[in-house]
Amino acid sequence: MLIRRPNGLDIPYASEITPQAVYEQRREFIKKMAMGAAAGGALWEMANREAFAQTAAAKLPAKLNPAYSALDKQTPFKDASTYNNYYEFGTDKSEPAVNAHTLKTRPWTVSIEGEVKKPMTIDIDALSKLAPLEERAYRLRCVEGWSMVIPWIGYSLSNLIKKVEPTGNAKYVEFVTLADPKQMPGVNSRVLNWPYVEGLRMDEAMHPLTLLTVGMYGQVLPNQNGAPVRIVVPWKYGFKSAKSIVKIRFVKDMPKTAWNISAPSEYGFYSNVNPDVDHPRWSQATERRIGEDGFFQKKRKTLMFNGYNDVASLYTGMDLKKNF
Ligand code: MTE
């Protein structure tokens, strides 16, 4: 995301993503060519991969929770599912949608362990049913300076935390994600320390906004968005929202997280969205909302805690410049 392409922010979004009409024409063209060509050829594979990136996944009904839903215009599904950071499937924004079809999301279990009275290993389908699923449109602000509004489906992580009964020693929660080189081509590169690990302080993890997420836009999560289960922490930069989780560990000490290990002076543990604390290499004062990328479009002002002011009380008395 950041280290390899420090100037990536300056590339206009429109040049990175193929416009829909062109994209669809191209897809049709490739398909026709492939059908005419020998079966099993490279073109056929290309057509399938592109089609896969666009295929609607299984429907996932959930009741809208208006109390936790942003009213901002939602980002089109096509953008949210083809402009992704998921380094296990490549470092370019367009790569996860093309490559993540190799991720096998069933069978899938999540192990919940560490400082809890009732550790468990739970199957993804049981995990999805542990509490009623809600739809919540959240703003997602990437540390790179762009944002989206995505209607996620899931439930507050606190529901799961209460079930496993953390001990008094549980001060942090660590999210460990899948790192399987057989399914994930990016894991063969050394761009990050694998597995991708993220973490939250216990009170952050218990905050009702922290969403254990299994779907978006009325469907199960596309692989490139972190299937089958991820977290979404809307007041923090997007990289805190770990994808494809296999382990949730309750621990005493602050977890060592992937981006913090990679560049400690650039990515702190807290990583709360904060327009007053610049990234060492760029300002965080504004953002461009994906879908609002006209040449003359003004950038939006970034809001403290991404506009989720409810969470401010979690940080009372803390120096947020020091604890960035
Ligand atoms: N989780 C894993 N396992 N690997 C990643 O590379 N990228 C993060 C986060 N979770 C990432 C990840 C970053 S930088 C962002 S901005 C969000 O996922 C993007 O989520 P989205 O593609 O669903 O918008």
Side-chain angles (χ1 to χ4, degrees), residues 1-2 80-81 83-90 96 140-144 146 148 150 152 177-178 184 192 194-198 216 221 224-226 230-231 237-245 259:
M1 113 178 109
L2 313 157
S81 61
Y83 188 80
N84 302 104
N85 277 329
Y86 196 167
Y87 272 26
E88 290 86 335
F89 293 103
L140 177 121
R141 168 63 156 82
C142 180
V143 74
E144 295 165 323
W146 50 267
M148 297 196 196
I150 298 179
W152 302 108
T177 72
L178 186 72
M184 303 170 134
L192 277 177
W194 309 110
Y196 191 102
V197 171
E198 258 309 332
M216 63 186 222
L221 281 176
Q224 60 270 28
N225 290 90
R230 67 179 296 174
I231 49 154
Y237 292 118
F239 69 87
K240 296 294 292 180
S241 295
K243 294 175 169 180
S244 308
I245 294 169
W259 278 104

Side-chain angles (χ1 to χ4, degrees), residues 172-190:
Y172 296 89
V173 188
E174 181 182 64
F175 304 92
V176 182
T177 72
L178 186 72
D180 178 0
K182 287 201 234 63
Q183 302 180 57
M184 303 170 134
V187 170
N188 294 307
S189 95
R190 300 234 293 246

Side-chain angles (χ1 to χ4, degrees), residues 201 204 236 240 254 268-272 315 318 323-324:
R201 212 172 57 191
E204 297 176 324
K236 293 179 179 282
K240 296 294 292 180
M254 187 180 275
F269 177 80
Y270 285 96
S271 286
N272 292 317
Y315 309 104
M318 269 176 77
N323 296 288
F324 62 91

Side-chain angles (χ1 to χ4, degrees), residues 97-290:
V98 175
N99 292 335
H101 62 97
T102 52
L103 177 66
K104 240 182 107 214
T105 59
R106 296 290 186 287
W108 189 283
T109 54
V110 179
S111 152
I112 300 151
E113 53 188 60
E115 292 291 346
V116 288
K117 290 192 195 117
K118 296 186 171 161
M120 60 167 153
T121 298
I122 184 167
D123 183 78
I124 181 62
D125 294 312
L127 183 64
S128 302
K129 293 188 189 105
L130 212 71
L133 294 178
E134 296 177 2
E135 177 172 289
R136 302 179 183 183
Y138 281 167
R139 288 179 289 276
L140 177 121
R141 168 63 156 82
C142 180
V143 74
E144 295 165 323
W146 50 267
S147 62
M148 297 196 196
V149 182
I150 298 179
W152 302 108
I153 296 169
Y155 55 78
S156 295
L157 177 66
S158 61
N159 289 292
L160 172 63
I161 297 181
K162 283 179 201 150
K163 288 241 175 350
V164 294
E165 299 182 20
T167 71
N169 286 332
K171 303 284 184 239
Y172 296 89
V173 188
E174 181 182 64
F175 304 92
V176 182
T177 72
L178 186 72
D180 178 0
K182 287 201 234 63
Q183 302 180 57
M184 303 170 134
V187 170
N188 294 307
S189 95
R190 300 234 293 246
V191 62
L192 277 177
N193 229 49
W194 309 110
Y196 191 102
V197 171
E198 258 309 332
L200 294 172
R201 212 172 57 191
M202 198 62 185
D203 56 348
E204 297 176 324
M206 283 298 289
H207 194 281
L209 276 168
T210 301
L211 195 70
L212 189 88
T213 305
V214 291
M216 63 186 222
Y217 298 86
Q219 308 174 3
V220 301
L221 281 176
N223 288 358
Q224 60 270 28
N225 290 90
V229 60
R230 67 179 296 174
I231 49 154
V232 179
V233 194
W235 72 93
K236 293 179 179 282
Y237 292 118
F239 69 87
K240 296 294 292 180
S241 295
K243 294 175 169 180
S244 308
I245 294 169
V246 290
K247 207 182 280 181
I248 301 179
R249 290 205 323 135
F250 292 77
V251 293
K252 231 165 85 188
D253 302 317
M254 187 180 275
K256 293 202 177 349
T257 59
W259 278 104
N260 185 249
I261 293 170
S262 152
S265 60
E266 303 197 358
Y267 309 107
F269 177 80
Y270 285 96
S271 286
N272 292 317
V273 175
N274 189 340
D276 303 327
V277 177
D278 288 344
H279 185 278
R281 291 185 279 130
W282 59 81
S283 158
Q284 292 291 26
T286 61
E287 67 201 54
R288 72 195 162 89
R289 181 70 49 91
I290 299 300

